[in-house]
Amino acid sequence: MQKFRSWLASLHFRLIVGFTLVLVVSLLGVSLYVHYAAEREIERFQQEVERARAERIQQVVNQYYENNDDLSGIGPALEQAKWLYNWNIEVTDAEGKPIALVSGKKIVPESPARQRTAPPFDKLQNPPLGPDDRKKVGDGRRFGRHTYKLQDRDKKDVASISMGPADIPGVVPEPPMSRLLATLDASLLWTGIAAGIVGIALVSLLSRRALLSIGVLRGAARTFGGGQYSHRVPKMGPHEIGELGETFNSMADDIQRAERQRLNLMADVAHELRTPLSNIQGYVEAMKDGVISPSDETLESVHQQVLQLNHLVEDVKLLSLLDAGALRLNFERAAADDVLNRSVRGFMAKAHSKEMRLTTDIDKDIPPVRMDTARILQVVDNLLENAVRHTPQGGVVTVRAGTLSTGEVFVAVEDTGDGIPDDVIATVFDRFRRADPSRARTTGGAGLGLAIAKNLVEAHGGTIEAKSSPSGGTIFRFTIPTDQERTPPH
């Protein structure tokens, strides 16, 4: 019972019910229209048949009058028409007195004297019945709904003929046309029922096949939601369901990749935090146990570890804000060369201590840029920090800047270091990514500087890229748009 209720609430049942309702409404509309059209056509056909019969009887009367110059003896001819058509026929003279009456009763005697004295008949004066000649008898005649008048060549009335269908005893009745309409309605009904059964069966079959694929996707989504991120759906064809399956697999790949990155990020953060915390713990326990005595040198070492720990926490927090789009940027129009020169001056001492040269090649015609000065300064500092760290003694680090043909301002930081391998350059902006993962903490940072630089540049609507040669030398270059009307992403 529960399974049946579940089926009643399913999409499969709703599709069948929906199709059935559409089919019923469509068949009902078609049936009503066909019934109406058929009824009108049958009525028109009956009228045409009656018109043709009336014109035939008219021709008989005309021919008889033309041959005999009167209507004497017209009764037997009309009697044949009665038995042939099952009609009542009445012939009256110009004054309305009956000449002959053909009906279920006996033939009424004619008036030979009146007919013999009638003027000669000219058939050209009596054309076939037209629409105006066929009218309902309402002027005192006893029966008939088709009437016309015989006229001589002087267009004087000689006689009138009134006729119409009747139910004459002894005459085999014609089947009513309404029977044809009833048969048509019955045929439409059974055809509609048969079409409905076939249509519902086809919809049920086709929708079931389509819903099976949806069921596979639903099961895959439940499995994926349960934490099995490696689960995928099989290929389900080139149609829309197949595209949906491919989209699901693509989404699953992205989620699995993001989950892997999340786990790696947690592991990297834990690793990066462990080193300074372990150092701080070691110094504090040693001083507590009296192994070493508190001194300015010891306290300075502890202080450096705290600063390093704080810097790492701030970097992780900044990346989190950038990912969530919650970092507020204070945009202002500023000179790019001033920001670059400030950053270069800050690294001069470190460059001299490694006996390397730090030079600039900055175009003097760089237009003002709409930017967050502090954040762009942080981008340049991160790139210079990375370049100075990996450039050997006696090397050269150069900061270049200028304007592209597109109107964007570019900034490039070039070094003469060892270079970055090709298999690493594509992921150099990933978090906690290092060109040499095995290098000691004293020679490398946490691996967040380039990731922060990339996110900050993109927050300004720009792009950043890295080019390197394994034989030596690396170039980090980013661009910032100068269009004042362009709205940054954040």
Side-chain angles (χ1 to χ4, degrees):
M1 188 63 180
Q2 183 65 28
K3 189 175 182 180
F4 178 72
R5 291 179 179 177
S6 177
W7 182 75
L8 291 180
S10 65
L11 180 60
H12 187 205
F13 176 76
R14 295 179 183 179
L15 287 174
I16 294 176
V17 171
F19 175 79
T20 303
L21 292 177
V22 172
L23 184 63
V24 168
V25 172
S26 300
L27 289 177
L28 182 61
V30 171
S31 299
L32 291 176
Y33 175 76
V34 170
H35 177 86
Y36 172 77
E39 189 176 32
R40 293 290 300 273
E41 186 64 22
I42 289 175
E43 181 180 355
R44 186 192 65 80
F45 179 75
Q46 286 181 314
Q47 292 174 355
E48 292 296 327
V49 170
E50 288 187 10
R51 175 186 174 185
R53 290 177 177 178
E55 290 178 353
R56 291 189 191 121
I57 295 175
Q58 176 190 359
Q59 290 176 354
V60 170
V61 175
N62 288 346
Q63 188 67 34
Y64 186 88
Y65 187 75
E66 181 181 5
N67 295 333
N68 299 280
D69 291 333
D70 59 26
L71 295 177
S72 176
I74 190 65
L78 297 180
E79 186 75 13
Q80 292 180 0
K82 179 194 76 171
W83 290 101
L84 182 62
Y85 296 144
N86 196 14
W87 274 28
N88 287 330
I89 306 172
E90 181 183 28
V91 180
T92 60
D93 60 14
E95 297 178 358
K97 295 180 180 180
I99 298 174
L101 173 63
V102 177
S103 66
K105 301 178 182 181
K106 294 183 179 180
I107 300 177
V108 177
E110 299 103 339
S111 178
R114 179 180 295 274
Q115 296 302 320
R116 281 194 295 269
T117 59
F121 171 75
D122 185 355
K123 63 180 180 180
L124 297 178
Q125 301 295 326
N126 294 275
L129 285 174
D132 296 335
D133 299 320
R134 300 191 308 270
K135 59 185 179 180
K136 299 281 185 175
V137 176
D139 54 357
R141 296 183 178 87
R142 288 169 291 179
F143 55 82
R145 62 186 182 190
H146 298 276
T147 183
Y148 79 98
K149 297 181 182 297
L150 254 65
Q151 295 178 336
D152 59 13
R153 62 172 55 91
D154 296 328
K155 294 186 178 181
K156 293 181 179 180
D157 294 342
V158 175
S160 296
I161 301 176
S162 177
M163 66 196 84
D167 187 12
I168 300 176
V171 179
V172 179
E174 294 181 349
M177 298 299 290
S178 59
R179 183 182 304 173
L180 174 62
L181 188 61
T183 303
L184 179 63
D185 290 339
S187 300
L188 285 175
L189 175 63
W190 288 111
T191 301
I193 293 175
I197 294 174
V198 174
I200 291 174
L202 289 176
V203 167
S204 177
L205 177 62
L206 296 177
S207 62
R208 184 177 182 84
R209 292 186 60 184
L211 292 175
L212 284 176
S213 300
I214 295 179
V216 172
L217 285 172
R218 180 179 59 183
R222 288 179 177 176
T223 303
F224 196 84
Q228 299 184 22
Y229 299 121
S230 60
H231 187 76
R232 300 292 185 272
V233 296
K235 186 175 181 180
M236 292 179 288
H239 47 77
E240 291 82 356
I241 300 297
E243 294 179 1
L244 183 60
E246 293 177 0
T247 303
F248 176 87
N249 289 338
S250 177
M251 177 200 68
D253 292 338
D254 294 339
I255 294 178
Q256 186 178 24
R257 189 182 305 110
E259 177 64 13
R260 189 182 302 113
Q261 292 176 351
R262 184 186 69 84
L263 295 176
N264 292 338
L265 176 63
M266 293 178 62
D268 290 336
V269 170
H271 174 75
E272 295 296 333
L273 291 177
R274 185 184 301 114
T275 300
L277 287 175
S278 298
N279 291 338
I280 294 173
Q281 181 182 4
Y283 278 115
V284 172
E285 290 179 351
M287 288 186 289
K288 181 179 178 181
D289 295 338
V291 176
I292 60 175
S293 58
S295 63
D296 293 341
E297 182 179 355
T298 303
L299 294 176
E300 179 62 24
S301 298
V302 173
H303 183 248
Q304 291 297 324
Q305 295 295 326
V306 171
L307 292 178
Q308 184 177 348
L309 182 61
N310 182 68
H311 182 69
L312 175 62
V313 172
E314 288 297 324
D315 285 349
V316 173
K317 178 182 178 182
L318 177 59
L319 280 173
S320 299
L321 292 175
L322 287 169
D323 287 342
L327 181 65
R328 287 186 169 274
L329 298 178
N330 300 317
F331 287 96
E332 58 180 352
R333 289 176 56 79
D337 53 345
D338 290 343
V339 176
L340 298 177
N341 288 327
R342 284 170 53 188
S343 180
V344 170
R345 286 195 296 268
F347 281 88
M348 279 296 185
K350 185 177 291 188
H352 290 161
S353 67
K354 293 186 63 174
E355 298 181 359
M356 65 174 61
R357 288 188 301 132
L358 182 56
T359 63
T360 61
D361 181 11
I362 302 174
D363 189 352
K364 299 299 183 181
D365 298 328
I366 297 178
V369 179
R370 186 171 181 270
M371 60 182 173
D372 185 325
T373 305
R375 294 304 180 184
I376 294 299
L377 181 62
Q378 185 177 2
V379 171
V380 180
D381 285 348
N382 286 351
L383 296 181
L384 280 175
E385 176 73 27
N386 185 74
V388 171
R389 180 185 299 124
H390 298 294
T391 300
Q393 185 176 1
V396 180
V397 176
T398 304
V399 178
R400 304 183 189 277
T403 306
L404 300 174
S405 59
T406 58
E408 295 177 309
V409 171
F410 77 89
V411 177
V413 178
E414 306 175 7
D415 65 58
T416 57
D418 296 335
I420 303 175
D422 293 337
D423 59 339
V424 177
I425 194 72
T427 59
V428 73
F429 292 104
D430 292 349
R431 300 169 189 185
F432 297 102
R433 183 65 177 178
R434 295 169 176 167
D436 181 10
S438 64
R439 72 177 185 267
R441 170 164 289 280
T442 57
T443 61
L448 295 177
L450 294 179
I452 292 174
K454 179 177 183 295
N455 280 269
L456 287 176
V457 169
E458 291 177 350
H460 282 76
T463 59
I464 188 170
E465 61 179 353
K467 295 181 180 180
S468 182
S469 173
S471 61
T474 301
I475 302 175
F476 285 91
R477 170 174 146 164
F478 69 90
T479 61
I480 303 177
T482 58
D483 187 0
Q484 300 182 26
E485 303 299 325
R486 182 171 179 176
T487 303
H490 297 284

